[in-house]
């Protein structure tokens, strides 16, 4: 069993690495677990990357991901090699198990498992995978020097990879399901691609079959308007039609949508307290390095506040209440009457000569604790004794010096005895 981490990140894609940077910089004990020796996830397999802010001409996916990893290491993020296949989020300490037999424990887990390329699902695809069918231009482009290849897909990744393939192949033909001139990628990439003389286009078409005797020799295209089938000779097929989330090991552990993507709120929180999710495996509109990095920054920042809130509740309230009754007062700076009301509570507590403790909690910053104790009205005060909430007052009209006196009296007398 490992030592206890503050922040354990599953997956070293851009979202996980950004979480590592922010977590380590916040002085959290942070580690990233990933099955690959080189961090970066799918982004590290994208050769050309010109849409990450500040990095454009000549920038590569592996190069940018190495900078991410170096940045995280600089602030102290630990990198661990392991293929996570099981998690246990049932207790306050989260457990992560790997196929290698290791178990890691952490107060918070950030899930960044990434996604794998989606398959076309046509005849010949599986049989010729690795024999001309590829899902990674960076990995396989140099196998097709001076040959003809087709690219299936027309989003950002497809067009960027098609451009990259033109450095190697004789011709690159993009198979597009839309009308002529209509691409799903961003406009800048589309305009650049249209000017590339080595790129060819087949519009209104889908791939119905990939065929060849041991190696890819052709694809069978279907015109979606006419239904006509046409043989199109080629030496290779590169498929870029989206991704499938790598979340099978999380089924039944956290909420997934019907396609298997992780469901989070804007703070990257899953439905399990202390478990966050970032990157391509999360339900989101745009899956790019820049949005994954944003996810990671948000998750780590939210996790740091979550841990701080937990520590305050445990040390200053639950543990302290074992020594003397302790009031947890919920207020909000934007509600003036809550400020006045809590001030009167503070005065009443002072008159008890340290026989009663008081912790004031800004509800805006400590929403989880407010939710945990079902606080629906501001101000509210909750009295704790021996680690348990035993009484409460809610609303400014009910929180009077007399009511506070009546609230604590039985427990202060008990303390005196």
């Amino acid at each position: 069993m490992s030592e206890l981490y503050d922040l354990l990140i599953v997956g070293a894609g851009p979202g996980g690495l950004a979480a590592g940077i922010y977590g380590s910089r916040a002085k959290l004990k942070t580690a990233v677990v990933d099955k690959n020796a080189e961090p970066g996830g799918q982004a590290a397999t994208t050769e050309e990357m010109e849409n990450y802010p500040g990095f454009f001409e000549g920038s590569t996916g592996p190069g940018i991901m190495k900078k991410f990893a170096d940045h995280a290491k600089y602030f102290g993020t630990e990198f661990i090699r392991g293929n996570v296949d099981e998690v246990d989020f049932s207790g306050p300490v989260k457990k992560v198990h790997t196929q290698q037999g290791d178990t890691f424990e952490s107060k918070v887990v950030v899930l960044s498992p990434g996604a794998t390329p989606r398959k076309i699902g046509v005849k010949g695809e599986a049989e010729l995978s690795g024999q001309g069918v590829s899902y990674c231009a960076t990995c396989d482009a140099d196998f097709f020097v001076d040959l003809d290849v087709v690219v299936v897909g027309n989003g950002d990744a497809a067009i960027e990879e098609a451009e990259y393939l033109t450095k190697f192949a004789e011709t690159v033909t993009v198979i597009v399901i839309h009308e002529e001139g209509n691409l799903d990628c961003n406009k800048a990439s589309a305009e650049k691609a249209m000017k590339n003389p080595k790129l060819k286009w087949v519009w209104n078409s889908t791939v119905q079959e990939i065929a060849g005797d041991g190696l890819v020799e052709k694809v069978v295209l279907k015109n979606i308007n006419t239904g006509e089938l046409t043989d199109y000779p080629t030496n290779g097929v590169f498929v870029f039609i989206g991704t499938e989330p790598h979340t099978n090991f999380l089924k039944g552990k956290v909420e997934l949508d019907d396609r298997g993507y992780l469901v989070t709120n804007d703070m990257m929180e899953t439905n399990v307290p202390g478990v966050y999710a970032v990157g391509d495996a999360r339900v989101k509109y745009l899956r790019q390095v820049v949005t994954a990095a944003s996810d990671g920054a948000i998750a780590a920042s939210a996790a740091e506040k979550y841990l701080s809130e937990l520590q305050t509740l445990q040390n200053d309230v639950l543990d302290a209440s074992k020594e003397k009754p302790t009031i947890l007062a919920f207020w909000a700076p934007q509600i003036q009457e809550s400020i006045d009301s809590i001030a009167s509570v503070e005065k009443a507590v002072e008159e008890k000569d340290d026989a009663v403790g008081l912790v004031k909690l800004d509800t805006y910053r400590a929403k989880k604790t407010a939710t945990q104790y079902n606080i629906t009205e501001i101000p509210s005060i909750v009295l704790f004794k021996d680690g348990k909430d035993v009484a409460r007052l809610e609303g400014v009209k009910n929180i009077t010096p007399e009511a506070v006196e009546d609230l604590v009296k039985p427990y202060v007398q008990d303390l005196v005895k």
Side-chain angles (χ1 to χ4, degrees), residues 25-198:
R25 194 165 184 269
K27 306 301 182 186
L28 301 178
K29 184 172 178 57
T30 303
V32 180
V33 184
D34 193 276
K35 63 183 178 182
N36 297 313
E38 297 297 327
Q42 190 179 356
T45 69
T46 301
E47 188 59 31
E48 287 196 359
M49 188 177 294
E50 295 183 337
N51 56 1
Y52 190 77
F55 296 81
F56 46 103
E57 189 173 11
S59 297
T60 67
I64 294 175
M65 288 302 96
K66 184 178 185 307
K67 288 183 179 294
F68 270 45
D70 289 345
H71 197 163
K73 290 175 183 174
Y74 175 81
F75 284 116
T77 300
E78 180 182 349
F79 284 76
I80 301 168
R81 184 89 179 268
N83 192 0
V84 175
D85 64 350
E86 179 67 34
V87 295
D88 181 355
F89 298 152
S90 59
V93 173
K94 320 302 179 191
K95 297 180 181 178
V96 171
H97 309 280
T98 69
Q99 287 182 348
Q100 291 73 28
D102 296 315
T103 298
F104 302 97
E105 294 187 337
S106 182
K107 299 173 186 174
V108 167
V109 169
V110 174
L111 299 169
S112 178
T116 53
R118 188 180 301 280
K119 308 294 189 297
I120 310 174
V122 297
K123 182 181 178 182
E125 182 181 21
E127 294 82 351
L128 293 170
S129 180
Q131 304 300 319
V133 175
S134 173
Y135 307 88
C136 176
T138 303
C139 312
D140 299 331
D142 59 357
F143 294 131
F144 296 90
V145 174
D146 297 331
L147 298 178
D148 300 312
V149 301
V150 302
V151 167
V152 182
N154 66 101
D156 286 336
I159 300 306
E160 288 170 3
E161 298 298 67
E163 289 267 15
Y164 176 70
L165 286 165
T166 61
K167 298 178 181 179
F168 300 85
E170 177 65 25
T171 64
V172 178
T173 302
V174 185
I175 312 301
V176 185
I177 195 172
H178 304 306
E179 296 286 336
E180 182 173 352
N182 186 8
L183 298 175
D184 290 333
C185 67
N186 65 80
K187 288 185 178 179
S189 292
E191 291 175 359
K192 182 180 177 183
M194 292 296 179
K195 296 175 183 176
N196 189 328
K198 295 185 73 174

Side-chain angles (χ1 to χ4, degrees), residues 13-19 22 40 42-43 46 49-55 61 64-65 68 156 160 186 268 278-280 282 284-299:
L17 293 173
Y22 275 72
Q42 190 179 356
T46 301
M49 188 177 294
E50 295 183 337
N51 56 1
Y52 190 77
F55 296 81
I64 294 175
M65 288 302 96
F68 270 45
D156 286 336
E160 288 170 3
N186 65 80
M268 306 300 131
V278 303
D280 285 0
R282 184 175 78 83
K284 62 197 304 185
Y285 171 69
L286 180 64
R287 293 184 173 84
Q288 292 278 285
V289 172
V290 67
T291 62
S294 173
D295 290 353
I298 293 170

